[in-house]
Amino acid sequence: MSRKQKIDLGDSSNYEDQGRAVRQRLDEGGSLNRWTGKPYSSRYYSILDARTKLPVYQFKDQVLKSLEDNQIIVVEGETGSGKTTQIPQFFLDAGFEERGVIACTQPRRVAATSIAARVAEEMDVNLGEEVGYTIRFEDVSDPNKTVLKFVTDGMLLREAMSDPLLLRYSVIILDEAHERTLATDVLMGLLQELLPKRTKGSKHGELKLVVMSATLDAKKFRDYFHGAPLLKVPGRTHPVEVFYTAEPEPNYLEAAVRTTIHIHQCEGPGDILVFLTGEQEIEQACEEIREKALALGQDLPELVVYPLYSSLPPQQQRQIFKPAPGPRIPGGPSGRKVVVSTNIAETSLTIDGIVYVVDPGFSKQKVYNPRVRVESLLVSPISRASARQRSGRAGRTRPGK
């Protein structure tokens, strides 16, 4: 990476100082929420404590300065560093909403809805007012009030068809750009043509672009956008041991279930995340894990299993964030939860407490067959970047396997 483009992000040891400074600023500015005009709730302050400890928080000034000086910036940060929830709020704090709405794109509907709900809670506002989301068949936003909008990349693309210059927006954040969905790729090409028409001093006002990616290919995005500055936000990840099977497994579903039960019997406390390809496989695996856990008897700690895929109702999706069950007997080992998920949990969602990850190495991907002109979902091997991303899920809270 060329020396002039690499932005030094300084020392990452002063989370507490940052948090104290933020709280002091809030106290000086009074405790009224500038969006609602009401006093902040106690929940707001408890979330603020957690927010100020996120790795991305201390780079707020650098992110804002880079965006002031450049029309495009690329942010690379591990999942869990807080970039998706915090960076849009940085732009609100800097007053970008006065120039137009801030849009943040997500490749998945479940990510757009859950992140919008989380950010609304962090800002202490009602979802659908200052913070909203738009996904296919559902628009929870207010055209007059919403300043920050989470949208699926397909919906922003649809909006660009009726408004080619995206005049409503002042900042567009392309999140999870490494997922390379069709809509994200087309949006990048579209923005590449659109940005020169909306520079500083143009009659339509300036449009800023932030490309956020979790993997190590951010350099490619940087090169595509004419050497835009790249900011690296370190995620606090712990070391992860990786174990491989000696021989290829004839049935990866069976092997994943067997490995999960083996971890439950032999390894220390910590939750398990299992990656599988689709709804049918996930439900089958959940059933098998529950049966085998029952067959092990009452001697082992309790094991609860939660499925996670995009067509699951939102109430059931939220169950994955429940804490693991407590010990069966006072003083005994505490229980364990298993989340069996599609690649939603790879980057879009961070589930606390995961220490073990079982990765068969497959996911469903859309494949277009030009001969019959049909698009179908096929189970195919994941990329190396995805495999690295999945292994990173294990080292969120402590060293994992």
Side-chain angles (χ1 to χ4, degrees), residues 338-360:
V338 178
V339 177
V340 188
S341 167
T342 59
N343 52 359
I344 291 180
E346 193 179 299
T347 54
S348 308
L349 301 173
T350 296
I351 306 164
D352 290 331
I354 299 290
V355 180
Y356 306 100
V357 170
V358 180
D359 175 20

Side-chain angles (χ1 to χ4, degrees), residues 106-162:
Q106 294 292 330
R108 293 195 176 82
R109 294 164 57 167
V110 57
T113 53
S114 60
I115 292 163
R118 171 68 189 180
V119 172
E121 195 178 10
E122 286 186 6
M123 286 169 56
D124 215 6
V125 296
N126 292 328
L127 180 63
E129 291 179 11
E130 284 76 14
V131 179
Y133 65 83
T134 304
I135 59 176
R136 192 171 51 185
F137 310 132
E138 194 178 351
D139 181 6
V140 181
S141 67
D142 184 322
N144 305 317
K145 260 183 152 181
T146 301
V147 289
L148 172 57
K149 198 160 132 182
F150 290 87
V151 294
T152 51
D153 40 17
M155 290 310 292
L156 189 63
L157 198 56
R158 173 159 293 184
E159 207 167 317
M161 288 162 72
S162 56

Side-chain angles (χ1 to χ4, degrees), residues 14 29 35 45 73 110 116 122 127-128 139 146 165 171 174 191 208 217 224 235-236 255 275 280 282 292 294 318 377:
N14 55 351
W35 302 111
Y45 288 106
I73 60 169
V110 57
E122 286 186 6
L127 180 63
D139 181 6
T146 301
L165 290 177
V171 182
L174 287 183
L191 289 162
K208 302 273 191 184
D217 293 340
Y224 180 69
R236 287 171 295 173
F275 285 103
Q280 197 179 350
I282 287 171
K292 292 190 175 178
L294 275 174
R318 285 189 204 106
L377 279 167

Side-chain angles (χ1 to χ4, degrees), residues 176-326:
E176 313 289 3
H178 58 274
E179 296 228 349
R180 296 291 306 278
T181 60
L182 181 65
T184 300
D185 276 11
V186 176
L187 268 174
M188 280 191 196
L190 191 79
L191 289 162
Q192 181 84 281
E193 290 202 347
L194 186 157
L195 288 167
K197 296 173 189 166
R198 286 197 58 187
T199 50
K200 216 173 236 171
S202 71
K203 63 176 181 180
H204 302 300
E206 188 177 21
L207 177 66
K208 302 273 191 184
L209 173 66
V210 181
V211 181
M212 298 205 289
S213 165
T215 46
L216 312 170
D217 293 340
K219 191 173 172 298
K220 290 178 182 166
F221 295 120
R222 213 195 89 202
D223 295 343
Y224 180 69
F225 287 110
H226 316 299
L230 171 63
L231 283 83
K232 287 193 176 219
V233 177
R236 287 171 295 173
T237 46
H238 298 270
V240 175
E241 280 185 273
V242 182
F243 302 89
Y244 298 91
T245 52
E247 295 287 320
E249 289 285 344
N251 182 340
Y252 65 85
L253 179 68
E254 203 177 284
V257 172
R258 193 171 62 237
T259 310
T260 305
I261 295 298
H262 178 74
I263 292 170
H264 182 52
Q265 285 176 296
C266 309
E267 296 285 348
D271 300 334
I272 308 170
L273 174 60
V274 184
F275 285 103
L276 287 171
T277 64
E279 178 181 346
Q280 197 179 350
E281 269 183 13
I282 287 171
E283 291 295 358
Q284 186 187 337
C286 287
E287 205 54 49
E288 286 182 22
I289 292 169
R290 285 188 195 110
E291 279 172 17
K292 292 190 175 178
L294 275 174
L296 293 172
Q298 298 288 313
D299 304 337
L300 282 169
E302 191 183 345
L303 185 74
V304 290
V305 189
Y306 298 116
L308 176 65
Y309 44 87
S310 55
S311 55
L312 203 63
Q315 290 80 5
Q316 282 176 265
Q317 285 178 0
R318 285 189 204 106
Q319 289 191 325
I320 61 163
F321 299 113
K322 282 185 180 172

